[in-house]
């Protein structure tokens, strides 16, 4: 006998049903929306929508953009998405592609996902006789300092980035380099979008550089990022970035099958 309730059974818990419908609705919108639009589209009482949104906001599942009077998904919802992705075949499908990328370039390569304001490394391929790295499977690093993190942040809605980095307290540093204010981060991410890939130079570890490219799902959401790290040698950054972008695109296509 199945223990999974059908929709009729689920509707017997209206608060839970309404909450999940609101989250699903926000997840399908390209930008934050007004509470009145949520109530109208879902045919729910406005008072119910405002009450549920306030509760979701208190737990970080939605964020309220007061100036715009709109609501969007919060970082806790993103955490759930990241957890789901990690349980799916992302690492399994990404591992051989990351290994092939490392072999082709002769440099260390990684696959990472966002976890709040950090990146979490889920695949790590160390190239032989290359510099020691601080990254490894299970390691977390501040997203704004890493090429992987910057690639994913650049693909997030600006409201999500604003929620992750509301003020200067959200900008830890490792080597004394990197963005330290929301304005500096916005400018950096603007450059990433224009270039098509992210870079970092000595901001995670002195003497190491990286390039990274985001892996997007069918809706354009960054589910992961592929990156390559090398030492102080003067390598062709554009060439490395091109290979990283090709690997990210290949992983995208495999995840969407």
């Amino acid at each position: 006998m199945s223990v999974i309730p059908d929709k009729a059974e689920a509707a017997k818990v209206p608060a839970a049903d309404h909450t999940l419908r609101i989250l699903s609705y926000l997840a399908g919108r390209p930008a934050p929306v007004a509470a009145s639009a949520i109530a109208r589209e879902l045919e729910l009482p406005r008072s119910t929508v405002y009450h549920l949104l306030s509760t979701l906001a208190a737990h970080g599942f939605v964020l309220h953009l007061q100036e715009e009077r709109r609501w969007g998904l919060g970082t806790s919802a993103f955490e759930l998405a990241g957890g789901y992705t990690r349980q799916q075949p992302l690492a399994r499908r990404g591992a051989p592609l990351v290994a092939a990328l490392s072999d082709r370039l002769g440099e260390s390569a990684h696959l990472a996902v966002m976890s709040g304001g950090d990146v979490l490394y889920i695949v790590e391929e160390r190239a032989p006789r290359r510099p020691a790295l601080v990254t490894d499977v299970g390691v977390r690093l501040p997203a704004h300092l890493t090429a992987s993190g910057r690639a994913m942040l650049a693909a997030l809605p600006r409201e999500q980035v604003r929620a992750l980095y509301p003020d200067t307290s959200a900008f830890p540093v490792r080597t004394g380099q990197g963005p330290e204010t929301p304005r500096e981060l916005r400018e950096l991410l603007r450059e990433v979008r224009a270039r098509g890939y992210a870079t970092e130079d000595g901001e995670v570890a002195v003497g190491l550089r990286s390039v990274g490219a985001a892996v997007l799902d069918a809706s354009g959401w960054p589910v992961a990022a592929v990156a390559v790290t090398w030492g102080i040698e003067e390598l062709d950054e554009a060439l490395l970035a091109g290979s990283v972008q090709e690997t990210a695109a290949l992983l995208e296509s495999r995840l969407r099958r």
Side-chain angles (χ1 to χ4, degrees):
M1 180 184 300
S2 173
V3 297
I4 302 175
D6 58 21
K7 290 185 178 181
E9 287 292 319
K12 293 181 180 179
V13 189
D17 182 65
H18 297 340
T19 299
L20 293 173
R21 289 176 64 204
I22 289 172
L23 288 173
S24 296
Y25 176 80
L26 291 175
R29 305 279 75 76
V33 297
S36 58
I38 299 173
R40 183 177 63 253
E41 293 292 327
L42 298 182
E43 299 181 346
L44 295 173
R46 287 195 181 190
S47 59
T48 297
V49 169
Y50 279 110
H51 176 73
L52 292 176
L53 286 173
S54 296
T55 301
L56 287 168
H59 292 277
F61 284 93
V62 301
L63 57 91
H64 185 209
L65 306 174
Q66 293 186 358
E67 294 181 1
E68 295 91 338
R69 296 182 179 180
R70 293 175 180 272
W71 299 80
L73 288 181
T75 55
S76 293
F78 187 58
E79 284 275 4
L80 288 180
Y84 173 80
T85 298
R86 289 192 293 275
Q87 294 174 30
Q88 294 305 297
L90 179 57
R92 177 172 57 81
R93 294 188 179 185
L97 300 181
V98 170
L101 175 66
S102 178
D103 288 343
R104 184 164 68 252
L105 298 178
E107 304 292 344
S108 297
H110 347 268
L111 182 67
V113 297
M114 285 287 293
S115 180
D118 295 334
V119 292
L120 173 65
Y121 293 88
I122 61 172
V123 174
E124 181 84 11
E125 189 68 31
R126 299 288 180 90
R129 296 179 296 280
R130 302 310 295 148
L133 306 179
V134 298
T135 57
D136 203 349
V137 173
V139 168
R140 293 172 178 263
L141 289 173
H144 67 285
L145 296 179
T146 69
S148 297
R150 292 171 179 177
M152 288 185 280
L153 288 171
L156 283 177
R158 288 165 175 78
E159 295 82 6
Q160 295 288 340
V161 177
R162 192 189 317 166
L164 289 169
Y165 297 93
D167 52 46
T168 55
S169 66
F171 292 85
V173 296
R174 288 179 57 89
T175 66
Q177 302 182 65
E180 298 181 10
T181 67
R183 182 176 181 178
E184 290 177 359
L185 180 62
R186 285 196 301 271
E187 180 58 34
L188 186 152
L189 297 182
R190 192 176 298 117
E191 295 173 358
V192 172
R193 295 185 196 102
R195 191 190 304 118
Y197 63 89
T199 67
E200 68 88 11
D201 186 353
E203 289 145 294
V204 173
V206 174
L208 295 179
R209 303 172 63 187
S210 300
V211 294
V215 177
L216 308 179
D217 66 13
S219 68
W221 192 268
V223 296
V226 177
V228 165
T229 298
W230 71 99
I232 60 174
E233 300 90 345
E234 288 297 327
L235 301 180
D236 188 334
E237 179 186 288
L239 177 63
L240 295 176
S243 293
V244 168
Q245 289 173 303
E246 290 175 4
T247 300
L250 183 56
L251 181 53
E252 283 181 7
S253 67
R254 294 190 178 184
L255 291 174
R256 296 178 188 182
R257 290 177 184 170

